[in-house]
Protein backbone atom coordinates (compact mmCIF):
# COMPACT_ATOMS: atom_id res chain seq x y z
CA UNK A 1 0.00 0.00 0.00
CA UNK A 2 1.26 3.49 -0.76
CA UNK A 3 0.17 7.01 0.08
CA UNK A 4 0.82 10.00 -2.19
CA UNK A 5 0.63 13.80 -2.05
CA UNK A 6 0.65 16.02 -5.12
CA UNK A 7 1.11 19.78 -5.56
CA UNK A 8 -0.70 21.10 -7.52
CA UNK A 9 -3.32 18.36 -7.38
CA UNK A 10 -4.36 16.18 -10.31
CA UNK A 11 -1.44 17.07 -12.60
CA UNK A 12 -0.98 13.31 -12.77
CA UNK A 13 -4.20 11.44 -12.08
CA UNK A 14 -4.37 8.41 -9.79
CA UNK A 15 -5.04 6.16 -12.78
CA UNK A 16 -1.91 7.44 -14.51
CA UNK A 17 0.11 7.22 -11.30
CA UNK A 18 -0.85 3.56 -10.94
CA UNK A 19 0.78 2.85 -14.31
CA UNK A 20 4.14 4.33 -13.29
CA UNK A 21 4.31 3.80 -9.51
CA UNK A 22 6.78 0.92 -9.92
CA UNK A 23 9.24 3.48 -11.30
CA UNK A 24 8.52 6.00 -8.52
CA UNK A 25 9.02 3.46 -5.70
CA UNK A 26 11.38 1.02 -7.46
CA UNK A 27 13.27 -2.09 -6.42
CA UNK A 28 15.92 -1.79 -3.66
CA UNK A 29 18.86 -1.65 -6.08
CA UNK A 30 17.62 1.71 -7.37
CA UNK A 31 17.22 3.31 -3.93
CA UNK A 32 19.32 6.39 -3.27
CA UNK A 33 19.88 7.05 -6.96
CA UNK A 34 18.53 9.77 -9.20
CA UNK A 35 15.92 8.44 -11.58
CA UNK A 36 14.23 10.18 -14.51
CA UNK A 37 11.01 8.78 -15.93
CA UNK A 38 9.68 10.06 -19.27
CA UNK A 39 6.01 9.20 -19.33
CA UNK A 40 2.55 10.69 -19.78
CA UNK A 41 4.00 13.74 -21.54
CA UNK A 42 6.13 14.66 -18.52
CA UNK A 43 9.66 14.21 -17.24
CA UNK A 44 9.60 13.00 -13.61
CA UNK A 45 12.82 13.30 -11.61
CA UNK A 46 13.13 11.65 -8.21
CA UNK A 47 15.51 10.02 -5.76
CA UNK A 48 13.80 7.05 -4.07
CA UNK A 49 14.80 6.39 -0.44
CA UNK A 50 14.24 3.44 1.86
CA UNK A 51 14.71 3.76 5.64
CA UNK A 52 14.87 0.40 7.39
CA UNK A 53 13.44 0.15 10.91
CA UNK A 54 11.21 -2.33 12.74
CA UNK A 55 8.84 0.48 13.76
CA UNK A 56 7.64 0.77 10.17
CA UNK A 57 5.17 -1.51 8.46
CA UNK A 58 7.17 -4.17 6.58
CA UNK A 59 10.23 -2.91 8.50
CA UNK A 60 10.92 -0.05 6.08
CA UNK A 61 9.65 3.37 5.03
CA UNK A 62 10.01 4.03 1.33
CA UNK A 63 9.43 7.51 -0.12
CA UNK A 64 10.28 9.58 -3.17
CA UNK A 65 9.59 13.30 -3.52
CA UNK A 66 9.61 13.85 -7.31
CA UNK A 67 9.80 17.00 -9.42
CA UNK A 68 7.58 16.95 -12.51
CA UNK A 69 8.62 18.89 -15.65
CA UNK A 70 7.39 19.31 -19.18
CA UNK A 71 8.86 16.56 -21.34
CA UNK A 72 11.26 18.79 -23.31
CA UNK A 73 12.74 20.65 -20.29
CA UNK A 74 16.44 20.22 -19.49
CA UNK A 75 16.42 19.10 -15.85
CA UNK A 76 20.15 18.90 -15.20
CA UNK A 77 20.18 21.95 -12.90
CA UNK A 78 17.35 20.53 -10.76
CA UNK A 79 18.84 17.07 -10.27
CA UNK A 80 21.18 18.09 -7.39
CA UNK A 81 18.17 19.79 -5.73
CA UNK A 82 16.11 16.58 -5.92
CA UNK A 83 18.93 14.55 -4.36
CA UNK A 84 19.58 17.13 -1.64
CA UNK A 85 15.88 17.28 -0.79
CA UNK A 86 15.79 13.49 -0.45
CA UNK A 87 18.70 13.74 2.00
CA UNK A 88 16.93 16.46 3.99
CA UNK A 89 13.71 14.43 4.21
CA UNK A 90 15.63 11.37 5.38
CA UNK A 91 17.25 13.41 8.17
CA UNK A 92 13.92 15.01 9.14
CA UNK A 93 12.19 11.61 9.26
CA UNK A 94 14.91 10.09 11.42
CA UNK A 95 14.74 12.97 13.89
CA UNK A 96 11.01 13.64 14.09
CA UNK A 97 9.04 11.10 12.05
CA UNK A 98 7.81 13.94 9.81
CA UNK A 99 6.93 11.65 6.89
CA UNK A 100 5.45 8.71 8.77
CA UNK A 101 3.66 10.22 11.78
CA UNK A 102 -0.09 10.73 11.43
CA UNK A 103 0.12 14.12 13.15
CA UNK A 104 2.30 15.59 10.36
CA UNK A 105 0.49 14.19 7.31
CA UNK A 106 -1.33 17.47 6.72
CA UNK A 107 1.98 19.39 6.81
CA UNK A 108 3.58 17.52 3.91
CA UNK A 109 1.47 19.14 1.12
CA UNK A 110 2.09 22.57 2.72
CA UNK A 111 5.83 21.90 2.69
CA UNK A 112 5.69 20.78 -0.95
CA UNK A 113 3.68 23.89 -1.87
CA UNK A 114 6.35 26.16 -0.37
CA UNK A 115 9.17 24.32 -2.16
CA UNK A 116 7.33 24.54 -5.50
CA UNK A 117 6.44 28.23 -5.14
CA UNK A 118 9.83 29.47 -3.92
CA UNK A 119 11.92 27.46 -6.39
CA UNK A 120 9.75 28.59 -9.31
CA UNK A 121 9.80 32.23 -8.24
CA UNK A 122 13.28 32.72 -6.80
CA UNK A 123 15.24 29.57 -7.70
CA UNK A 124 15.97 29.01 -4.00
CA UNK A 125 14.21 28.43 -0.69
CA UNK A 126 14.85 28.21 3.06
CA UNK A 127 11.99 26.42 4.83
CA UNK A 128 12.07 25.56 8.56
CA UNK A 129 10.74 22.07 9.33
CA UNK A 130 10.28 21.33 12.99
CA UNK A 131 12.41 23.00 15.64
CA UNK A 132 15.94 22.17 14.54
CA UNK A 133 16.06 21.76 10.74
CA UNK A 134 15.79 24.30 7.92
CA UNK A 135 15.67 23.02 4.34
CA UNK A 136 17.97 25.12 2.13
CA UNK A 137 17.68 24.49 -1.62
CA UNK A 138 19.00 26.41 -4.61
CA UNK A 139 18.76 25.75 -8.35
CA UNK A 140 22.13 26.59 -9.86
CA UNK A 141 22.23 28.33 -13.21
CA UNK A 142 24.79 27.32 -15.80
CA UNK A 143 26.35 30.50 -17.16
CA UNK A 144 27.86 29.74 -20.52
CA UNK A 145 30.96 31.58 -21.59
CA UNK A 146 30.14 34.37 -24.05
CA UNK A 147 31.32 33.88 -27.64
CA UNK A 148 34.73 35.32 -28.56
CA UNK A 149 34.76 38.97 -29.59
CA UNK A 150 35.99 39.57 -33.16
CA UNK A 151 37.87 42.54 -34.62
CA UNK A 152 34.81 43.84 -36.49
CA UNK A 153 32.33 43.42 -33.60
CA UNK A 154 30.80 46.65 -32.29
CA UNK A 155 30.04 46.78 -28.55
CA UNK A 156 27.23 48.94 -27.18
CA UNK A 157 26.29 49.59 -23.55
CA UNK A 158 22.84 48.21 -22.74
CA UNK A 159 22.66 49.33 -19.12
CA UNK A 160 21.83 52.89 -18.14
CA UNK A 161 23.96 52.60 -15.05
CA UNK A 162 27.27 50.84 -14.78
CA UNK A 163 29.68 50.72 -11.87
CA UNK A 164 31.62 53.91 -11.09
CA UNK A 165 34.64 54.34 -13.35
CA UNK A 166 37.21 53.81 -10.59
CA UNK A 167 35.77 50.41 -9.62
CA UNK A 168 36.75 48.79 -12.93
CA UNK A 169 40.17 47.33 -13.70
CA UNK A 170 42.60 49.57 -15.59
CA UNK A 171 41.94 48.01 -19.01
CA UNK A 172 38.17 48.46 -18.67
CA UNK A 173 38.66 52.06 -17.52
CA UNK A 174 40.62 52.75 -20.72
CA UNK A 175 38.15 50.93 -22.98
CA UNK A 176 34.76 52.11 -21.63
CA UNK A 177 34.92 55.71 -22.98
CA UNK A 178 35.20 54.37 -26.55
CA UNK A 179 32.20 52.02 -26.38
CA UNK A 180 29.59 54.08 -28.23
CA UNK A 181 27.77 51.54 -30.40
CA UNK A 182 29.69 52.63 -33.52
CA UNK A 183 33.38 51.87 -32.88
CA UNK A 184 34.40 48.31 -33.81
CA UNK A 185 36.76 46.42 -31.52
CA UNK A 186 39.82 47.08 -33.70
CA UNK A 187 39.21 50.85 -33.59
CA UNK A 188 38.62 50.82 -29.82
CA UNK A 189 42.02 49.14 -29.38
CA UNK A 190 43.70 51.90 -31.40
CA UNK A 191 41.80 54.77 -29.77
CA UNK A 192 42.31 53.44 -26.23
CA UNK A 193 45.94 52.50 -26.97
CA UNK A 194 45.38 48.99 -25.58
CA UNK A 195 46.58 45.72 -27.12
CA UNK A 196 43.66 44.25 -29.07
CA UNK A 197 43.62 40.87 -27.29
CA UNK A 198 43.26 42.69 -23.96
CA UNK A 199 40.39 44.71 -25.41
CA UNK A 200 38.67 41.51 -26.57
CA UNK A 201 39.06 39.92 -23.12
CA UNK A 202 37.67 43.07 -21.52
CA UNK A 203 34.64 43.13 -23.85
CA UNK A 204 34.04 39.42 -23.29
CA UNK A 205 33.96 40.09 -19.54
CA UNK A 206 31.42 42.90 -20.04
CA UNK A 207 29.34 40.55 -22.22
CA UNK A 208 29.40 37.96 -19.44
CA UNK A 209 27.85 40.46 -17.02
CA UNK A 210 25.30 41.62 -19.60
CA UNK A 211 26.66 45.17 -19.61
CA UNK A 212 27.23 45.33 -23.37
CA UNK A 213 25.80 43.75 -26.49
CA UNK A 214 27.56 43.09 -29.79
CA UNK A 215 25.97 44.66 -32.89
CA UNK A 216 27.07 44.96 -36.55
CA UNK A 217 29.15 47.87 -37.85
CA UNK A 218 26.91 50.70 -39.04
CA UNK A 219 27.35 51.57 -42.71
CA UNK A 220 25.07 53.34 -45.13
CA UNK A 221 25.59 50.45 -47.55
CA UNK A 222 24.12 47.97 -45.01
CA UNK A 223 20.79 46.28 -45.61
CA UNK A 224 18.41 45.26 -42.82
CA UNK A 225 15.16 43.37 -42.52
CA UNK A 226 12.52 43.40 -39.79
CA UNK A 227 12.06 40.52 -37.35
CA UNK A 228 8.88 39.17 -35.78
CA UNK A 229 9.64 41.36 -32.72
CA UNK A 230 8.73 44.50 -34.69
CA UNK A 231 5.24 44.22 -33.16
CA UNK A 232 6.76 45.20 -29.80
CA UNK A 233 7.16 48.71 -31.15
CA UNK A 234 3.42 49.25 -30.71
CA UNK A 235 3.29 47.70 -27.22
CA UNK A 236 6.33 47.68 -24.94
CA UNK A 237 8.82 49.95 -26.70
CA UNK A 238 6.89 52.99 -27.97
CA UNK A 239 8.13 55.66 -25.58
CA UNK A 240 11.67 54.28 -25.31
CA UNK A 241 12.03 54.09 -29.09
CA UNK A 242 10.78 57.63 -29.75
CA UNK A 243 13.19 59.06 -27.15
CA UNK A 244 16.12 56.97 -28.38
CA UNK A 245 15.93 57.76 -32.11
CA UNK A 246 15.11 61.48 -31.83
CA UNK A 247 17.62 64.07 -33.07
CA UNK A 248 19.01 66.07 -30.16
CA UNK A 249 17.46 69.50 -29.77
CA UNK A 250 14.44 68.68 -31.96
CA UNK A 251 10.87 67.83 -31.07
CA UNK A 252 10.12 64.11 -30.82
CA UNK A 253 9.39 62.18 -34.03
CA UNK A 254 6.10 60.42 -34.69
CA UNK A 255 5.90 56.70 -34.05
CA UNK A 256 4.21 56.28 -37.43
CA UNK A 257 7.29 57.67 -39.21
CA UNK A 258 9.59 55.40 -37.22
CA UNK A 259 7.51 52.37 -38.13
CA UNK A 260 7.49 53.40 -41.79
CA UNK A 261 11.30 53.45 -41.85
CA UNK A 262 11.60 50.10 -40.09
CA UNK A 263 9.07 48.32 -42.29
CA UNK A 264 10.72 49.69 -45.44
CA UNK A 265 13.93 47.81 -44.58
CA UNK A 266 14.25 44.76 -46.79
CA UNK A 267 16.59 42.91 -49.13
CA UNK A 268 18.00 45.25 -51.78
CA UNK A 269 17.30 48.46 -49.81
CA UNK A 270 20.34 50.06 -48.18
CA UNK A 271 20.31 52.62 -45.39
CA UNK A 272 21.42 55.17 -47.99
CA UNK A 273 18.38 54.29 -50.12
CA UNK A 274 16.09 54.82 -47.11
CA UNK A 275 17.67 58.20 -46.38
CA UNK A 276 17.21 59.33 -49.99
CA UNK A 277 13.62 58.14 -50.06
CA UNK A 278 12.34 59.36 -46.68
CA UNK A 279 14.85 61.99 -45.41
CA UNK A 280 14.90 60.82 -41.75
CA UNK A 281 16.30 64.19 -40.55
CA UNK A 282 13.22 65.88 -41.96
CA UNK A 283 11.18 63.48 -39.82
CA UNK A 284 13.33 64.41 -36.76
CA UNK A 285 14.85 60.90 -36.75
CA UNK A 286 18.56 60.11 -36.40
CA UNK A 287 19.05 57.19 -38.81
CA UNK A 288 22.12 55.90 -36.95
CA UNK A 289 20.25 55.77 -33.66
CA UNK A 290 17.27 54.23 -35.45
CA UNK A 291 19.40 51.34 -36.69
CA UNK A 292 21.19 51.02 -33.36
CA UNK A 293 17.96 50.83 -31.36
CA UNK A 294 16.37 48.38 -33.80
CA UNK A 295 19.32 45.98 -33.67
CA UNK A 296 19.71 46.12 -29.88
CA UNK A 297 15.99 45.43 -29.36
CA UNK A 298 15.93 42.79 -32.12
CA UNK A 299 13.35 44.71 -34.15
CA UNK A 300 15.61 44.41 -37.20
CA UNK A 301 18.62 42.35 -38.18
CA UNK A 302 21.43 43.07 -40.59
CA UNK A 303 21.72 41.16 -43.86
CA UNK A 304 25.39 40.26 -43.96
CA UNK A 305 27.29 39.73 -47.20
CA UNK A 306 29.45 36.62 -47.59
CA UNK A 307 31.68 36.41 -50.71
CA UNK A 308 32.16 32.95 -52.24
CA UNK A 309 34.61 31.84 -54.93
CA UNK A 310 32.90 29.79 -57.65
CA UNK A 311 34.63 27.74 -60.38
CA UNK A 312 35.10 29.76 -63.54
CA UNK A 313 37.31 29.93 -66.62
CA UNK A 314 37.57 33.71 -66.26
CA UNK A 315 40.77 35.40 -65.17
CA UNK A 316 40.53 36.43 -61.47
CA UNK A 317 41.10 40.01 -60.35
CA UNK A 318 44.78 40.05 -59.26
CA UNK A 319 43.87 42.43 -56.41
CA UNK A 320 41.53 39.79 -54.93
CA UNK A 321 43.51 36.61 -55.55
CA UNK A 322 45.20 36.83 -52.11
CA UNK A 323 41.78 37.08 -50.44
CA UNK A 324 40.26 34.00 -52.06
CA UNK A 325 40.98 31.93 -48.93
CA UNK A 326 38.56 34.20 -47.05
CA UNK A 327 35.88 33.93 -49.75
CA UNK A 328 34.47 30.67 -48.42
CA UNK A 329 30.98 31.80 -47.38
CA UNK A 330 31.99 31.82 -43.71
CA UNK A 331 33.59 35.29 -43.51
CA UNK A 332 31.37 38.35 -43.92
CA UNK A 333 32.55 41.55 -45.60
CA UNK A 334 32.87 43.37 -42.25
CA UNK A 335 35.28 40.74 -40.98
CA UNK A 336 37.32 40.66 -44.19
CA UNK A 337 37.61 44.47 -44.28
CA UNK A 338 38.93 44.49 -40.72
CA UNK A 339 41.41 41.70 -41.44
CA UNK A 340 42.94 43.31 -44.54
CA UNK A 341 42.40 47.00 -43.71
CA UNK A 342 40.31 47.93 -46.72
CA UNK A 343 37.07 49.91 -46.99
CA UNK A 344 33.88 47.97 -47.67
CA UNK A 345 32.88 50.06 -50.71
CA UNK A 346 36.29 49.43 -52.30
CA UNK A 347 36.11 45.70 -51.57
CA UNK A 348 32.57 45.46 -52.96
CA UNK A 349 33.68 47.22 -56.14
CA UNK A 350 36.52 44.73 -56.64
CA UNK A 351 34.21 41.78 -55.98
CA UNK A 352 31.68 43.11 -58.48
CA UNK A 353 34.37 43.22 -61.17
CA UNK A 354 35.60 39.69 -60.45
CA UNK A 355 33.57 37.04 -62.34
CA UNK A 356 34.88 34.31 -60.01
CA UNK A 357 33.21 35.71 -56.90
CA UNK A 358 29.54 35.66 -55.89
CA UNK A 359 28.00 37.26 -52.80
CA UNK A 360 25.53 35.43 -50.57
CA UNK A 361 23.37 37.50 -48.21
CA UNK A 362 21.94 36.09 -45.01
Amino acid sequence: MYRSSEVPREVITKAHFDTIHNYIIPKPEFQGRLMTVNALGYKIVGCPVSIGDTKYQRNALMFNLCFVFEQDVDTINHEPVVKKLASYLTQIELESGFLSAERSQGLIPQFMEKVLHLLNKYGRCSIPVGESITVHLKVTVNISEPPPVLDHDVPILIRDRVRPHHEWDLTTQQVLPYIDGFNPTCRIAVEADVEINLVKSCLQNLLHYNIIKIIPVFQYSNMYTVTSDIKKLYSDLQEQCVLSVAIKGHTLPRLRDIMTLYTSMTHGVTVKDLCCRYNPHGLKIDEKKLIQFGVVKNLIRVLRKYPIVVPSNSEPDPRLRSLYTLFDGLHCLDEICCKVGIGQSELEERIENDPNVRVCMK
Side-chain angles (χ1 to χ4, degrees), residues 78-133:
H78 287 80
E79 289 173 2
V81 177
V82 173
K83 193 154 191 176
K84 187 176 182 181
L85 183 54
S87 177
Y88 268 123
L89 292 175
T90 302
Q91 183 184 354
I92 295 167
E93 170 63 22
L94 292 174
E95 290 192 9
S96 65
F98 178 74
L99 299 177
S100 58
E102 288 294 331
R103 67 181 184 278
S104 59
Q105 291 306 302
L107 301 177
I108 295 174
Q110 295 176 22
F111 170 77
M112 293 166 61
E113 183 77 49
K114 289 179 182 177
V115 171
L116 175 69
H117 172 71
L118 293 174
L119 288 184
N120 277 341
K121 188 171 184 180
Y122 303 109
R124 63 183 185 278
C125 67
S126 295
I127 304 171
V129 180
E131 297 180 358
S132 59
I133 297 177

Side-chain angles (χ1 to χ4, degrees), residues 279-330:
N279 184 20
H281 280 236
L283 301 174
K284 308 175 187 112
I285 297 171
D286 184 325
E287 67 274 7
K288 291 185 178 181
K289 291 181 180 178
L290 179 79
I291 297 296
Q292 198 178 75
F293 182 86
V295 172
V296 169
K297 299 300 182 181
N298 196 41
L299 305 177
I300 58 174
R301 65 177 181 86
V302 71
L303 294 170
R304 295 189 184 273
K305 300 174 183 178
Y306 294 84
I308 303 171
V309 176
V310 295
S312 171
N313 296 325
S314 305
E315 188 66 27
D317 187 327
R319 298 174 299 172
L320 285 182
R321 190 190 295 272
S322 61
L323 302 181
Y324 274 13
T325 54
L326 296 173
F327 294 175
D328 56 2
L330 300 176

